[in-house]
Amino acid sequence: MRVPAAFSSAVRPVLTGPIQPAAWLGASAGAAYLMTGSSTVLAIVTHDAVRLPCALVLSTTAAELALSELAPAPGLRGDAPASVGAGRVEWPGRGGPVTVAGTREWAPARVLAQGPPRRAAVAALSSAVLQCDIGVGVGGAVSALALAGDPGAQFDAVAALLGRGPGLTPSGDDVVTGFLLGARAFGRAVPGAAAAVLELARDATSALSAQLLHDAVDGLCIPEVAAAVAELAGRIAPAHAGRRLLAVGHTSGAALAAGLVSAATCLHRPLAVGGAA
Amino acid sequence: MSVEQVEARSGAYADSVTLMQVSRRVLSADGVDAALVAMGTELNLDLLDGMGFTRPAAVTANDLIIAVRAQDDPALAAGLALVAEALAERPGPTGGSFTQQPPRTVSAAARTTGPALALISVPGQHAFTEAMDALDAGCDVMIFSDNVSVQQEIRLKDVAAQRGLLVLGPDCGTAVVGGVGLGFAHTLEPGPVGVVAASGTGAQQVLCLLDAAGIGITAALGVGGRDLSAAVAGRSTRAALAAFDDDPGTELVIVVSKPPADEVAADLRVHAGSLGTAVCFAMIGPGQPDLTAATEQALRALGAAVPTWPSWPGRQGSPRQGALRGLFAGGTLCDEAMVIAAERLGPIGSNIPLRPEWRIDANGAATGHVMIDFGDDELTAGRPHPMIDQTLRLERLAAEARDPATAVILLDVVLGHGAHRDPAAELAPAIAAVEDTTAVVVSLIGARADPQDLNAQAGALQTAGAHVFTSNAEAARFACDLIEVAR
Amino acid sequence: MTDLLRRDVALITAGVDLFADAAEQQAARVTRVDWLPPMPGTQADLATVAADPRRVAANADAVRRVQSVRALLVDVVPAADALGLGPRDVLHAGPPIEWARASGPLRGALMGAAVFEGLVDDPDDAPALLERGEIHLDSCHHHSAVGPMAGVISPSMWVFVLEDPATGRRTYCSLNEGLGKVLRYGAYSAEVTDRLRWMSALLGPVLQAAVRGHDPVDVTAILAQMVQMGDEGHNRNRAGTLMLLRELAPAMIESGFSSDQVAQAARFVGGNDHFFLNLGMPACKLALDAARGIAGSTMVVAMARNGTDFGIQVSGTGDTWFTGPALVPDGLFLGDYGPQDANPDIGDSAITETAGLGGFAMAAAPAIVRFVGGTVADALANTRRMYEITLAEHETFAVPVLDFRGTPLGIDVTKVVRTGILPQINTGMAGKVAGTGQVGAGLVTPPAEIFPAALRALAAAAPGPG
């Protein structure tokens, strides 16, 4: 079975590079995750799933073609590694070989520096976040992140959050991801946070989450975050981008939003290091 | 002699529709003359009387009446058995399947998709209605169909402007949106350039040169070959420019066109100066930069390096003295080559001539320098476009090769989505068969990631003896050089 | 400005499959339209009407006006008073028709009405009067009225009076007689006229007292509820009838009539599953009449049949009827009646389909589709198909099984012509011989040719091509 997919520019080097084996990290109806030997994580997602910056996007929905069915049976994934390279991802599927062919490239959403956020918008998102469950026991750590004024404190606050919470993308990581992206957008230098991610994430959390954190250091994100950031910064007219972010995943959207709010709310405090992140 | 049975069953409710179906089924059995299976309502009892049955005693509306009259006892028994069978029947496993039928109009489709880009390729006389329906539904429209009148084109573009939508086309062969190549288009990387094209193959040339330079695009929007005419006055070009100007990812826009109306081009240049995004123009015509030069100008404006455009040298040796014969699939590529050649060689006969007095019959034998556009309507009536079906061009290639007056044959080969799967496989033998006294020059329009494999196509054409260029302008100049050297 | 560059690429393709295939190969999300050429000879008119700059706003206005109407039952009175009918004025269903062309069931109903009004003693004497034009016929629709099947309304019959409180506009409809041998199906025996006399003598007055002693009954609200209770408002009105009775029963009891009289009336209403039809129909007419006469609108505002002709009226073409021969419904027959016994389609009841009920709401009443041996899936497909030819989805009538999607509302002449999909009508069938009564029920469509004719008139009324 050959399935065309649109691939993110972020995965082009790995996807179009030499063929290498990739291990299964997991698969649901809407997304399948693979990690290559070079520790790059690729996501294959359905058309209706969240567009991760490391994703190959299919034209079908989860209801039309469930990736959990396309992937090898869970018990067999260890013995059925995939291969990635030469423009495609291949594996022995349940009904014969599966080829996901990268036939088109798309540019993942990227957060650019866009100046300070509008207070009213931040307040609105902040109060909306308070209504949401952002995952177990990260509230205090989020406050610490918001209040961290120097690189050391940022490093410690991020270290305390990495890997906190259940699942493939723990809530603590989502908060850090949102924080990094918000800081970049609003012109807040967070060298300690970025250093903590680069130094600790690979060991502190799941491979997928670590990939998303590294992408966030580079400014890459899901489109919902980019839209929410633009809305906070007043770059686009308010159009419920914040609400759409909160709707992402079970707790991911709210945790990402909490991170954005953390990055936005402490801007009035003197920054330890000048310049944009 | 007929027999009958009338029976009332209590507590056997079924709805009237089911029972009417049961009645009909029993009636259809051989030997059954009359049947009524119904609840004992007053209406049904009247019907029973009317059919000549005797009412059972003390029937209520909650009783099920089964009345069957048949020609003989076996038929009656069969009829009653059928009643029992029909009443016991339950829907099969296929019942309740809720498959959706495909939508029949664009507006119906848009009710489920939301705003989308509608691609209209219905026969031309229906295209206006379908396109208007798409605009009504809030969709941008790309019209591949031709035979849309200028009045209709203007009306569509005015309505689109009122609704904040974009009309691509009509007769639009090329667009790339969200990285998807639509119509005749290429596989390209995302990047900083937006392309607005009132020319299909002209846009393909620019896009492929950008690709060769390693520069990707945000989108390429074909606005239809007439958009820069005096009548249409750049309506869609302006709308496309506005969309690119608003797009943070677009750093520079290139407007590609076959020869435009002078006043429209002038207005457009003034308009472009008012935008926040830089605009380069690649408009074919005497005194204008050719497509390659315009692309190089755009690259420099972006601060990108201008590469040496890939080319593959062909058979060595000089052709005889004689004429240049251009056989093109792309109208704008033909235009560009004619503008270059006319400056160097003088009049170029053509079916799409630069000057009216240079017009020739495309099907007649050529005299002097000639360039034919095989994609012109006159030559595509009733057959696929030459980018898909090369038959006519291959025949003409062989004929020109036999003509002792032919010194150089200039061809374009366009790759990408929608085009022939392997054009070189058909062209290479024909090129190889051309005598050494005649040179073959090919401009090969393709992107690195096109499905036909640019390098493989170039290699096959080169092996057959052709000089292959990725710049159409360079190919035309090289062809002129060969003609001049032979003189 | 277009947001084409800002949103995820999504494509809709109409025409050559090549383009859809190529886009799918590039992992684009493609929705394919199953495009077919329009009805023959219509392409120029379609283009002219498509180019009419008034069309989109006119249709939006038409739909908005229909949806903003609330139909309240405010009174029950004799037709002579409500409609200003003289002693020899009789209204009928469908487009106007003269006696000579009238079908069997319409003739039977007119003969019965002549007896009922005392114009003749023997129904067989009525045709002579009707032939000589001594009884004046006109279309119900010309008098803000509708009538099911033959739709005959004579001065002594009682009618429901429905009113839109916002505008004070009113529509009218006769009281439903029940099933079987009844006037509206063309029966005219003594049993039929006796029942009509009882209805005028007792049922009308009881209902009048009840309605006058009660707040106006919100018929639109009952329609909305019954669609969620398995009724489609044309061939199935069971829940609507029960809800009406529930509303009116206390006021009937308090009306001052004897308990025996109230019981007779209540038994008659409760024993007739179609009683509510004669309230749903004028409610639909009240809504659709609000959208009449909007220049440029291509929306159908009436579909009606007189047993010979099927006619439509369109908002943008005023009161013109576009007519063609009525078709014979396809369906199930009572007793041993068969297709040979059925009269062509008859009645004003297709006003329900015109307003988004009946066949258009079939998904809400899956039982109905089995009149033609269909399945529940067919019922869903039927309603879904009607979305193809309509302008909007009803804000009030929602179909539970379609996730409470509104029923298809506002038949667009251009969409009918473009797709060739004809409005699906659920209907009863009358015997073609006068006096027979009902012979069955089934599904029917208008004759196709009336839609290109209406389109032609819309094109003629459009300002010239852009």
Side-chain angles (χ1 to χ4, degrees), chain A residues 1-254:
Chain A
M1 175 171 198
R2 184 179 181 279
V3 189
F7 62 91
S8 162
S9 300
V11 302
R12 189 198 322 156
V14 168
L15 185 70
T16 62
I19 294 174
Q20 57 175 317
W24 289 97
L25 297 178
S28 64
Y33 307 104
L34 291 157
M35 185 166 69
T36 66
S38 54
S39 293
T40 302
V41 174
L42 293 178
I44 300 169
V45 303
T46 57
H47 193 263
D48 49 342
V50 176
R51 305 282 159 94
L52 301 175
C54 59
L56 287 82
V57 184
L58 308 186
S59 67
T60 44
T61 62
E64 291 162 351
L65 183 64
L67 282 160
S68 45
E69 296 300 311
L70 207 57
L76 302 176
R77 284 174 195 157
D79 302 325
S83 71
V84 174
R88 57 190 189 267
V89 183
E90 291 181 309
W91 65 84
R94 301 179 199 189
V98 175
T99 301
V100 175
T103 55
R104 169 166 65 96
E105 183 173 336
W106 55 280
R110 183 182 289 272
V111 166
L112 305 171
Q114 35 202 299
R118 292 178 303 126
R119 277 170 188 266
V122 174
L125 184 60
S126 180
S127 64
V129 169
L130 288 174
Q131 312 297 316
C132 299
D133 172 20
I134 61 166
V136 283
V138 292
V142 176
S143 305
L145 185 61
L147 295 169
D150 61 79
Q154 283 171 4
F155 190 101
D156 293 343
V158 168
L161 280 165
L162 288 177
R164 287 277 292 275
L168 274 173
T169 58
S171 294
D173 297 350
D174 286 326
V175 172
V176 173
T177 299
F179 180 77
L180 289 167
L181 293 163
R184 167 185 280 260
F186 309 137
R188 183 179 186 188
V190 289
V197 165
L198 297 175
E199 200 172 307
L200 305 175
R202 291 283 179 215
D203 297 321
T205 187
S206 73
L208 171 63
S209 204
Q211 176 75 53
L212 296 175
L213 284 160
H214 279 93
D215 287 342
V217 170
D218 294 336
L220 301 180
C221 61
I222 60 173
E224 289 84 351
V225 169
V229 163
E231 192 174 84
L232 289 177
R235 288 298 176 101
I236 58 171
H240 312 300
R243 200 186 301 164
R244 281 196 297 278
L245 173 59
L246 293 174
V248 169
H250 291 298
T251 57
S252 280

Side-chain angles (χ1 to χ4, degrees), chain C residues 41-65:
Chain C
T42 58
Q43 66 209 37
D45 290 336
L46 277 173
T48 304
V49 173
D52 187 339
R54 306 167 305 175
R55 178 179 47 86
V56 171
N59 281 338
D61 189 30
V63 167
R64 189 190 51 73
R65 289 200 207 179

